[in-house]
Amino acid sequence: MTELVAGGLVVVGSALTVISAIGLYRFRDVFARVHAAGKAAPLGAALVFAGAALQFGELAVAARFALVLGLLSLTFPVGVHMVVRAAYRSGTELAPDVTVDELSDARRRRDEG
Amino acid sequence: MRRDLTLGAWLVVVWMVLWRDLSWANLLSGIAVAVAAIVLFPRARPLRPGSIRPLAAARFVIGFLWGLAVANAVVAWEVLTPRNRDNEGIIEIPVIDGYSDTLLALLTVVIGLTPGTVVVDHDEAAGRLYVHVLHLNDRERVRRDLVELEARLLDAFGGRERVGDAAGGAGS
Amino acid sequence: MSFDTLAVVGLALLGVAATGAVVRVGIASSLADRVIALDLLVVIAVMAIAIESARDDTTAFLDDLMVVALLGFVATTAVARFIERRGAR
């Protein structure tokens, strides 16, 4: 029974990752794409780790998975943010039909004012 | 000083867990590495001990995990369905008082993990944060939700980081 | 239905995801796009190591997991800094 649950977690986590990979194609600009890739990855990893740890059945192993997951959850979003910030600052365009961009408004105000 | 000691203690613990061997050699080498890390990276300041309010923090984490699960499910659904309902934009939110650098980093991580939002830039001088939102249907509501998130995070993890805050939170 | 079967299914799914990510690196329109796909690839690799370790019941690679995850983060940050300086093309 444990095996089934563990395996199920692994499959669901992997499926989530496939979805986030699809997200890379579906969205039209960089900023939307990071939402797909950057959110599902830690969650998919959490599920897969939970399944793997369950399969191992040892507390020490689970603790190490928890440590890696904690690390991943803290560092992955930071990496995503840095890429987004760099992309914006270096002039990457938002999708053409985006109407709201308060950052560029603020920048323009700063440059004019 | 107390902050450094707490950080140092945690670093040594992690070091020893990684080596999986509670020996004296590991303890000493762990202390050496921890001291070197703290000395070499003075800008990496952890939260002050006592800033984390356990009950509020636990509530925040649980609420966050739940929201995370739900929102990820929503995003997954949207990636799969063919219709393009995106409505993205970058909005500006104020950073409420009392946010230290460390806490701001934590906020960036939380916003980054929440599906639909990601921090784009930060105007330090003006104290404003710029967030790219995937579904911007009601700008003001999203703005309010984000500021509320800031407040909850500050409440849970930033207890003593607040400047001039008396116990119980009388207005500053 | 044993763990092994399900694990293989999971690994196959990860393979699909990885292929998608790699193709994305190829057809990406900018450096930022590429590095995001690569970051995803790093996480996929970490997951695959975890699943395979569970299948073989070996804990030998759990340390590698941590190193790969950390290196992935460092690499992404380094490329992000590069983009800031030199543009996203």
Side-chain angles (χ1 to χ4, degrees), chain A residues 19 22-23 26-29 31-32 35 39-40 42-43 64 67 73-74 77-78 80-81 84-85 88-89 94 98 100-103 106-107 109-110, chain B residues 18 20 72 76 78-84 86 88-92 108-109 111-121 130 132 134 136 139 143:
Chain A
I19 293 178
I22 296 177
R26 192 199 173 292
F27 292 108
R28 298 152 305 155
D29 69 7
F31 303 97
H35 283 106
K39 314 303 170 124
L43 190 60
R64 284 164 69 190
L67 184 60
S73 306
L74 285 178
V78 173
V80 163
H81 160 70
V84 166
R85 190 181 77 163
Y88 193 91
R89 283 190 183 179
L94 287 160
V98 173
V100 180
D101 185 357
E102 296 184 4
L103 179 51
R107 285 180 156 201
R109 263 181 285 135
R110 219 183 339 158
Chain B
L18 286 175
R20 277 172 287 147
N72 259 307
E78 294 197 351
V79 168
L80 292 175
T81 54
R83 211 159 51 100
N84 217 336
D86 303 336
E88 43 175 300
I90 300 183
I91 65 174
E92 173 182 320
T108 306
V109 169
I111 291 182
L113 281 179
T114 317
T117 54
V118 76
V119 174
V120 179
D121 214 333
Y130 295 92
H132 178 273
L134 202 54
L136 207 54
R139 225 195 286 192
R143 224 191 293 265

Side-chain angles (χ1 to χ4, degrees), chain B residues 11 13 35 49 52 69 74 76 88 93 98 104-105 115 119 140 146 150 159 166 170:
Chain B
L11 287 176
V13 167
V35 166
I52 304 182
V74 169
E88 43 175 300
I93 61 172
L104 198 57
V119 174
E140 293 310 317
L146 284 173
E150 282 184 20

Side-chain angles (χ1 to χ4, degrees), chain B residues 43-160:
Chain B
R43 298 214 33 205
R45 278 279 162 270
L47 298 172
R48 242 186 293 184
S51 341
I52 304 182
R53 304 228 205 102
L55 215 56
R59 253 202 319 246
F60 182 88
V61 170
I62 293 178
F64 170 69
L65 289 176
W66 174 248
L68 192 68
V70 167
N72 259 307
V74 169
V75 169
W77 177 250
E78 294 197 351
V79 168
L80 292 175
T81 54
R83 211 159 51 100
N84 217 336
R85 266 171 282 127
D86 303 336
N87 197 349
E88 43 175 300
I90 300 183
I91 65 174
E92 173 182 320
I93 61 172
V95 178
I96 63 184
D97 274 333
Y99 258 82
S100 61
D101 276 347
T102 311
L103 213 53
L104 198 57
L106 192 58
L107 178 68
T108 306
V109 169
V110 169
I111 291 182
L113 281 179
T114 317
T117 54
V118 76
V119 174
V120 179
D121 214 333
H122 171 221
D123 186 342
E124 255 172 286
R128 304 189 107 60
L129 208 60
Y130 295 92
V131 180
H132 178 273
V133 180
L134 202 54
H135 292 290
L136 207 54
N137 295 316
D138 183 349
R139 225 195 286 192
E140 293 310 317
R141 209 185 112 220
V142 174
R143 224 191 293 265
R144 265 177 314 184
D145 287 344
L146 284 173
V147 174
E148 196 203 307
L149 177 69
E150 282 184 20
R152 273 189 294 132
L153 187 69
L154 182 63
D155 190 49
F157 292 99
R160 299 239 201 96

